[in-house]
Amino acid sequence: MVIENTDISGITADTTGNFTFPERNKYDSGFGITEKTVDYISDVKGDPDWIREFRKKALKIFLDKPMPTHWATKDLENIKFDEFRYYLSDGQKPKRSWDDVPEDVKKTFDRLGIPEQERKFLAGVEAQYDSEAAYSNIKAAVAEQGVIFVNSTEGLKEHPEIFRKWFGKVIPTGDNKFSALNSAVFSGGSFIYVPPGVKVKHPLQAYFRINSEQFGQFERTLIIADEGSEVMYMEGCTAPKFETATLHSAVVELVAMKGAKIQYVTVQNWSSNVFNLVTKRGIAHEDAVVKWIDCNIGSRLTMKYPGVIMKGKRARGEVISIALANSGQHQDTGAKMVHAADDTTSNVISKSISIGEGRSTYRGLVHIPKHLKGCKNNTECDALLINSKSRTDTYPAISVRGNQHATQHEASVSQVSADQIFYLMQRGLTEAEAMSLSVNGFINDLAKEFPMEYSVELKRLIDLEMEGSVG
Amino acid sequence: MSLKITNLHAGLPDREILKGLNLEVKPGEVHAIMGPNGSGKSTLSKVMAGHDDYAVTSGEVMLDDINLLELSVDARARAGLFLAFQYPHEIPGVSNANFLRAAKKARLPEGEEIDAIKFYKEMYARMDALEMDRSFTSRSVNEGFSGGEKKRNEILQLMMLEPKYAVLDETDSGLDIDALKIVARGVNAMRSPDRGFLLITHYQRLLDYIQPDFVHVLMDGKIVHSGGRELALELEAKGYDWLKEEELATA
Ligand SMILES: Nc1ncnc2c1ncn2[C@@H]1O[C@H](COP(=O)(O)OP(=O)(O)OP(=O)(O)O)[C@@H](O)[C@H]1O
Ligand SMILES: [Mg+2]
């Protein structure tokens, strides 16, 4: 692995993230996961007892639960849990100023363009490096409104009265094997609380960076938007490409109280050795909105089905997702919409792109029970195939009981034909540019849902993927 | 300096379509190619452009001093070859303006950006010349365009990209009389001492509006007869059978 030591001045963001620095970990939990690992993490973090217990219970559930290979890909069996390290950190507290962040770490985030984005358009940033946040800051004006934006450890220690009320409530530990794993060894991630009526104008952003080899990152995020408040949270992630596998397994819980609105934007660009197994769910109370905007590029296997439980009347849940699977990648994504009150509305728009031998799978679940009325769901899933080896599968499951609801489901599969590429190339575009333009055309209507800075970023990531795919 | 095709043999793996074709288009000249359906006209245009359905077994295609057959499709285009397609492709979700911009940018040195104001000014002027509504800038390339609108859009691209040599494959088919005149006007405006044209057509009518310097007849993969403008009139009157007989007689 190349050890980078270059001066970052004048470097535009390296969004591939394919670079690494030497490890300088004071704390290393070692390989494998046992009760000792959990104790080690709890000791290092100085967890309160209830968290230590929470972790241990979770560990047991994780070890007991089989891999979900009865419905999911057999590739999961290639995850060797003994070959990962579950906690790595340099033992430093997150810094409030980039100047105080250790040099290598600062260079990493500089190179990824984070401080620059922070200056330009963010209300706050948390930058996680392996297991812990290296930098965490919120603009004074936003903090003065009472907004809390800290990492999960700080959240559970400093704000237990809010944290404890919701932590693990949206996604129970035993939801699935990986939510249990996360619950056992979680570290980092964000805790956000937005007080009633506060509308956070600019997005809060977290960036999750994996630097070390044979490592698993398990951040845990909990966002609570109190009544009538609004917040947009954005997360980005990258890791270097190692020969060995990397594991990323996050749990994200959102709570939108009455009339609140949470938008959660993800632009992930994992290298192709990452198993990315993430559980994300939100609860929307009366008149609240939870919207997931999820863009999955890269990784060896991504399994992620953001969900919304519409618990209060007129609540709204949305999942807008874009997944791009290049050769050697499998994007297994979708959405889970649970209607639990009258007049709730859900909207799922999923676009997947499969290139070369890349594989995309859509899994959707829409649940509307019989006793409700006036619920609406719209599901659209479109797949784009670039070259005949690509593969796409759709598993929509819409269980609608009763007849007082309106649901609509559309699915399409289209091809970027050789003739379309020929046409574009005849106008002077390279093959990569032609593919990139075709893909951008396909997701065009969804890219508009992203904040401007992120849709530019998205376009750039697609360009890079296409360059890589034509070699 | 010319677009020069020498003894070109090309076709599908199991079937030769072009069987020793010779043709030279010099800058400033307009050549028309006519010929029966299935004689290989579109194949010729696609082989020149580098479509990988076709393999060249022998012969040469030179664009000035560049050997086109050695280049990729996009490099041929950037070298100055433009093909107005008989059946232009639709590109869903990509606006005409973005497409043109990407195509123009592809011709700039690495890292250089398009001057957006200049670009829009030029595009609007070209569209006005082709009597294309401004709404076509934001519509997806060719998607939902009528047959005639697609052809007009091909000419818009030709005008924006200013190639050295342009091959127009049946740009006239599908056009109504007024559109034909407008498209012809567009092409005529692009005629210049530095630019050569190859028009593939079935109808003499187009040649009333875009007057060619030479007319060739392509039959069974070869140019079997060449002449001046009057040849087009003769073909319109007599069809192609007499040439078949002539060819047989000389064979
Ligand atoms: N990709 C292809 N696959 C199969 N056959 C092909 C292909 N391309 C060309 N051909 C065949 O080669 C012959 C020449 O086709 P081409 O399209 O060049 O004719 P054309 O002269 O342009 O005809 P038209 O006047 O009808 O447009 C036809 O018989 C056609 O069916
Ligand atoms: Mg033809």
Side-chain angles (χ1 to χ4, degrees):
Chain A
M1 187 53 54
V2 195
I3 291 163
E4 295 287 341
N5 233 335
T6 41
D7 179 14
I8 51 83
S9 56
I11 290 182
T12 52
D14 176 0
T15 37
T16 63
N18 194 17
F19 59 90
T20 184
F21 285 97
E23 290 180 27
R24 290 211 189 85
N25 298 310
K26 185 168 165 205
Y27 298 111
D28 180 340
S29 65
F31 289 93
I33 176 167
T34 61
E35 196 158 308
K36 268 198 199 137
T37 321
V38 168
D39 274 324
Y40 181 88
I41 295 171
S42 273
D43 290 345
V44 171
K45 296 178 82 71
D47 280 340
D49 288 345
W50 73 274
I51 287 290
R52 192 184 293 258
E53 269 159 41
F54 177 91
R55 289 183 188 279
K56 289 198 174 163
K57 256 190 223 151
L59 177 69
K60 192 169 176 331
I61 296 172
F62 164 69
L63 295 172
D64 287 349
K65 259 195 191 301
M67 277 289 195
T69 39
H70 56 288
W71 60 269
T73 169
K74 297 264 178 298
D75 194 24
L76 286 173
E77 280 159 10
N78 294 315
I79 301 176
K80 302 277 177 283
F81 290 104
D82 290 341
E83 293 173 8
F84 296 108
R85 291 172 292 171
Y86 290 77
Y87 183 86
L88 294 174
S89 90
D90 62 5
Q92 302 202 28
K93 283 228 151 63
K95 304 295 188 277
R96 300 278 179 239
S97 157
W98 285 108
D99 293 337
D100 300 334
V101 171
E103 198 52 30
D104 286 358
V105 179
K106 180 170 183 300
K107 274 186 191 160
T108 297
F109 289 111
D110 266 335
R111 201 164 155 170
L112 295 165
I114 311 303
E116 194 189 349
Q117 291 176 5
E118 179 181 20
R119 281 193 298 276
K120 284 192 180 146
F121 67 95
L122 298 170
V125 168
E126 191 201 325
Q128 180 166 339
Y129 195 78
D130 290 341
S131 296
E132 296 288 359
Y135 172 86
S136 172
N137 197 20
I138 178 167
K139 294 217 164 119
V142 185
E144 276 159 22
Q145 292 178 297
V147 176
I148 301 169
F149 179 38
V150 294
N151 64 60
S152 62
T153 311
E154 212 175 313
L156 71 91
K157 285 186 191 164
E158 311 290 328
H159 309 279
E161 67 298 342
I162 324 172
F163 190 92
R164 231 180 139 157
K165 185 166 172 199
W166 293 108
F167 177 74
K169 300 289 166 32
V170 186
I171 301 171
T173 298
D175 187 81
N176 63 78
K177 190 170 174 75
F178 295 94
S179 62
L181 172 62
N182 175 282
S183 300
V185 295
F186 76 90
S187 179
S190 307
F191 170 68
I192 294 173
Y193 172 76
V194 186
V198 172
K199 299 192 163 126
V200 185
K201 268 201 216 99
H202 299 285
L204 297 170
Q205 178 179 281
Y207 199 93
F208 299 99
R209 172 66 180 172
I210 293 176
N211 181 66
S212 301
E213 196 165 358
Q214 295 190 290
F215 168 67
Q217 190 175 51
F218 307 96
E219 85 270 13
R220 180 98 191 189
T221 290
L222 173 59
I223 301 177
I224 296 143
D226 216 326
E227 291 191 6
S229 69
E230 281 180 22
V231 64
M232 179 186 263
Y233 178 85
M234 312 208 286
E235 61 169 359
C237 7
T238 56
K241 182 161 168 44
F242 294 116
E243 294 299 313
T244 51
T246 296
L247 181 58
H248 176 257
S249 191
V251 166
V252 177
E253 298 176 287
L254 310 182
V255 181
M257 303 303 286
K258 188 174 172 184
K261 181 174 183 184
I262 303 177
Q263 292 190 75
Y264 193 108
V265 184
T266 304
V267 178
Q268 74 166 50
N269 183 29
W270 292 117
S271 51
S272 53
N273 59 316
V274 176
F275 284 99
N276 180 46
L277 309 161
V278 170
T279 313
K280 288 179 163 172
R281 199 168 301 151
I283 291 180
H285 288 93
E286 204 172 298
D287 293 309
V289 178
V290 170
K291 182 169 181 176
W292 299 97
I293 302 174
D294 203 39
C295 172
N296 301 296
I297 294 178
S299 82
R300 167 171 172 174
L301 170 66
T302 287
M303 288 175 68
K304 194 203 291 181
Y305 322 97
V308 184
I309 300 161
M310 286 147 279
K311 222 180 157 183
K313 282 187 179 161
R314 295 173 301 280
R316 187 178 168 85
E318 274 194 81
V319 173
I320 308 284
S321 82
I322 295 171
L324 192 152
N326 223 324
S327 290
Q329 302 176 348
H330 183 182
Q331 302 285 4
D332 194 322
T333 59
K336 204 168 181 172
M337 292 298 188
V338 179
H339 292 254
D342 291 341
D343 302 316
T344 47
T345 307
S346 61
N347 185 31
V348 178
I349 304 179
S350 152
K351 297 215 176 192
S352 72
I353 301 127
S354 309
I355 305 151
E357 321 219 341
R359 182 171 168 201
S360 330
T361 306
Y362 171 84
R363 293 176 209 273
L365 183 139
V366 177
H367 179 69
I368 305 178
K370 193 172 179 177
H371 65 273
L372 298 181
K373 60 179 193 331
C375 299
K376 290 193 200 98
N377 165 264
N378 175 52
T379 300
E380 290 168 39
C381 37
D382 299 324
L384 183 72
L385 302 180
I386 303 185
N387 103 29
S388 53
K389 281 185 227 143
S390 320
R391 170 163 177 198
T392 180
D393 312 286
T394 306
Y395 307 98
I398 302 186
S399 70
V400 181
R401 310 253 155 67
N403 50 9
Q404 307 183 68
H405 309 294
T407 61
Q408 184 173 312
H409 180 252
E410 280 172 37
S412 77
V413 178
S414 46
Q415 284 266 3
V416 174
S417 64
D419 277 326
Q420 176 165 334
I421 297 296
F422 176 67
Y423 184 74
L424 292 167
M425 287 177 77
Q426 210 300 308
R427 298 306 184 242
L429 305 185
T430 62
E431 189 180 0
E433 288 165 347
M435 280 162 62
S436 204
L437 198 67
S438 303
V439 169
N440 276 299
F442 174 68
I443 59 162
N444 183 35
D445 47 340
L446 289 196
K448 286 177 191 142
E449 300 270 345
F450 287 68
M452 233 279 278
E453 292 79 4
Y454 272 50
S455 60
V456 171
E457 169 69 5
L458 183 59
K459 186 178 173 306
R460 236 157 56 105
L461 288 176
I462 290 169
D463 288 347
L464 283 169
E465 274 301 308
M466 296 304 141
E467 269 167 37
S469 73
V470 293
Chain B
M1 298 278 266
S2 64
L3 179 63
K4 190 169 183 201
I5 304 161
T6 313
N7 193 29
L8 184 64
H9 288 262
L12 303 164
D14 57 346
R15 177 176 164 204
E16 185 164 69
I17 301 172
L18 303 178
K19 302 169 180 170
L21 192 140
N22 293 289
L23 186 67
E24 182 173 14
V25 179
K26 294 198 177 113
E29 293 177 351
V30 174
H31 292 240
I33 291 191
M34 305 181 78
N37 292 132
S39 56
K41 302 181 297 298
S42 293
T43 302
L44 171 64
S45 70
K46 285 192 259 180
V47 167
M48 281 196 279
H51 197 295
D52 69 3
D53 276 359
Y54 308 100
V56 173
T57 44
S58 67
E60 209 175 48
V61 182
M62 297 293 292
L63 187 153
D64 298 341
D65 46 13
I66 301 165
N67 183 354
L68 280 191
L69 299 182
E70 283 176 354
L71 300 182
S72 60
V73 177
D74 52 315
R76 294 181 199 202
R78 292 192 302 270
L81 180 72
F82 181 91
L83 171 57
F85 285 74
Q86 183 173 3
Y87 304 108
H89 218 281
E90 300 182 358
I91 318 288
V94 178
S95 74
N96 237 350
N98 280 347
F99 173 49
L100 283 169
R101 217 172 144 144
K104 270 185 108 72
K105 187 169 184 295
R107 286 161 174 77
L108 293 179
E110 177 96 27
E112 222 169 282
E113 287 297 324
I114 297 280
D115 176 340
I117 296 175
K118 235 175 92 189
F119 168 78
Y120 272 95
K121 241 173 120 175
E122 185 192 352
M123 184 172 60
Y124 287 152
R126 303 295 201 190
M127 289 175 75
D128 290 348
L130 292 170
E131 297 182 26
M132 282 174 81
D133 192 89
R134 293 281 157 90
S135 64
F136 282 99
T137 51
S138 57
R139 283 177 63 177
S140 296
V141 179
N142 296 327
E143 203 179 31
F145 288 23
S146 74
E149 286 165 350
K150 283 185 182 169
K151 297 302 176 73
R152 245 188 254 208
N153 206 32
E154 292 292 286
I155 302 307
L156 173 65
Q157 293 171 38
L158 164 71
M159 295 176 96
M160 292 297 285
L161 299 178
E162 304 180 308
K164 282 190 204 152
Y165 298 95
V167 180
L168 277 57
D169 191 358
E170 295 197 28
T171 299
D172 53 334
S173 58
L175 291 180
D176 65 41
I177 291 289
D178 292 333
L180 182 66
K181 284 185 195 162
I182 293 163
V183 162
R185 220 190 300 137
V187 172
N188 284 328
M190 295 304 287
R191 279 179 86 155
S192 106
D194 307 321
R195 184 171 293 123
F197 282 91
L198 189 57
L199 308 179
I200 296 171
T201 182
H202 285 295
Y203 305 105
Q204 143 66 23
R205 202 184 51 184
L206 174 72
L207 306 180
D208 285 340
Y209 298 107
I210 308 172
Q211 302 204 342
D213 303 298
F214 303 94
V215 175
H216 310 275
V217 180
L218 199 161
M219 277 172 76
D220 196 24
K222 275 196 296 254
I223 304 288
V224 296
H225 198 84
S226 298
R229 273 179 58 200
E230 66 294 339
L231 177 56
L233 287 169
E234 200 178 346
L235 291 169
E236 186 118 300
K238 300 206 290 196
Y240 294 109
D241 280 351
W242 62 283
L243 286 166
K244 274 183 202 154
E245 282 148 24
E246 197 170 86
E247 202 188 3
L248 281 177
T250 56

